[in-house]
Amino acid sequence: MSAIDDLPPLRAVIAAHGLSARKSMGQNFLLDLNLTSKIARSAGKLSDHDVLEIGPGPGGLTRGLLAEGARRVVAIEKDRRCLPALEEIAAAYPGRLDIIEGDALGIDTAALLRPPVRVVANLPYNVGTELLTRWLDPPQWPPFWDSLTLMFQREVAERIVATPGTKAYGRLSVLASWRTDARIVLDLPPEAFTPPPKVRSAVVHFARLDTPRYPAEAKVLFAVVAKAFGQRRKMLRAALKGYAPDIEQKIMAAGLKPTARAEEISVEAFCALARQLEGRGPA
Ligand code: SAM
């Protein structure tokens, strides 16, 4: 029995089901249920939300989410070895845990959830950035989720919350800050995981904005931001050369200096530039 529920401690679950961690699946498990409950609490109130969890593994975070009162958890796990352990959790919380075996990158998760929805996950690092990009750039805004509470390598978390003028500021920072309030809510040393990864980790909480912070067309904004940061040391006029026939005029019409570099340009200014490229002019 553990401190948060009547189920066995996670080390016993892992031993009973032979869940040795596999590097190929990005498996670094959290075995401290006080810590997983803390992560669950950092997501905000859960009792009136469906929660989407990607990669539940042996279920430490899943148990934290359920113990903290999640209305329902939908958990998607690629490693079928974990399913019997997850079924035991589902039996302890009748009607509140749905387990889906599969690759989160290939599943239409929104269709499985009843709003309002929070996404909470200790993501496999190899798919983390791809999933985040999809969640931040869905076909329609607002998206199916109210908040994302996600584990990243500390260095990636710092890039997400970085502000202009810093080395960490880049494509992910603009993407996150345009449509969400993103902040680091927890910092974790390697020893928090089994097996310990090489680097520190951090949990980032993203609260979505109902409308993006500044007007711009997502497709144009993300394309220009990707191009500008693709050559971040170059001046904007060089980095965006060939992007549009009169790019230097458009940069100036957006109120920017053609000699500025991507890492100095605020989200607001990138949006002004995107509007120029759409031909919309000032907001
Ligand atoms: N949530 C558990 C925890 O906190 O202890 C496990 C976290 S571990 C970092 C990542 C989990 O994601 C593993 O259980 C792994 O099998 C699973 N996983 C890896 N790739 C996946 C994918 N594409 N779709 C769904 N789950 C995946």
Side-chain angles (χ1 to χ4, degrees):
M1 209 197 288
S2 81
I4 66 162
D5 56 32
D6 294 339
L7 291 158
L10 281 159
R11 281 188 198 283
V13 173
I14 284 176
H17 294 280
L19 299 178
S20 52
R22 288 197 178 146
K23 215 173 168 182
S24 61
M25 289 271 187
Q27 291 178 339
N28 300 97
F29 300 135
L30 289 169
L31 304 186
D32 177 350
L33 290 161
N34 291 314
L35 180 58
T36 61
S37 295
K38 194 169 170 183
I39 296 170
R41 282 195 296 280
S42 72
K45 194 167 174 253
L46 300 176
S47 54
D48 48 5
H49 282 73
D50 274 13
V51 177
L52 171 65
E53 186 191 0
I54 308 296
L61 182 53
T62 320
R63 285 165 63 175
L65 292 165
L66 290 162
E68 289 301 321
R71 178 176 74 191
R72 178 171 162 253
V73 177
V74 175
I76 300 178
E77 176 55 60
K78 192 173 171 184
D79 183 355
R80 63 160 42 153
R81 293 181 309 152
C82 299
L83 302 186
L86 295 168
E87 291 298 351
E88 288 172 8
I89 304 172
Y93 290 94
R96 290 177 57 202
L97 174 60
D98 291 339
I99 305 149
I100 293 167
E101 182 194 346
D103 183 340
L105 293 169
I107 293 175
D108 176 12
T109 45
L112 306 169
L113 298 149
R114 185 162 65 89
V117 172
R118 294 194 192 280
V119 180
V120 186
N122 175 13
L123 291 169
Y125 288 140
N126 51 354
V127 294
T129 318
E130 171 63 28
L131 281 171
L132 176 66
T133 307
R134 290 189 194 186
W135 286 325
L136 291 177
D137 187 20
Q140 280 181 359
W141 197 269
F144 72 89
W145 50 269
D146 280 5
S147 68
L148 310 172
T149 306
L150 308 173
M151 183 85 69
F152 292 100
Q153 297 181 31
R154 173 83 206 183
E155 178 258 326
V156 176
E158 279 168 5
R159 283 200 270 132
I160 291 167
V161 302
T163 49
T166 61
K167 251 174 88 180
Y169 183 64
R171 197 181 67 89
L172 271 183
S173 336
V174 177
L175 200 63
S177 144
W178 185 46
R179 284 170 158 167
T180 75
D181 279 323
R183 62 199 167 88
I184 294 177
V185 289
L186 210 59
D187 195 25
L188 287 105
E191 312 79 75
F193 301 85
T194 304
K198 287 202 174 65
V199 292
R200 294 185 74 82
S201 301
V203 177
V204 183
H205 181 79
F206 306 76
R208 76 156 157 82
L209 305 176
D210 287 339
T211 49
R213 214 173 282 280
Y214 311 103
E217 236 174 64
K219 223 172 108 195
V220 179
L221 175 65
F222 296 153
V224 76
V225 166
K227 189 129 177 79
F229 282 107
Q231 303 189 65
R232 59 185 295 141
R233 289 185 198 292
K234 286 201 173 166
M235 291 176 188
L236 216 47
R237 68 171 169 221
L240 299 182
K241 197 172 171 204
Y243 191 84
D246 47 357
I247 190 68
E248 197 150 340
Q249 280 79 2
K250 294 222 151 91
I251 293 170
M252 286 190 290
L256 287 162
K257 287 195 189 127
T259 52
R261 289 176 169 78
E263 64 189 30
E264 302 161 10
I265 297 168
S266 67
V267 177
E268 185 172 13
F270 268 122
C271 289
L273 180 55
R275 289 194 303 273
Q276 288 300 326
L277 291 163
E278 294 157 22
R280 277 214 267 160

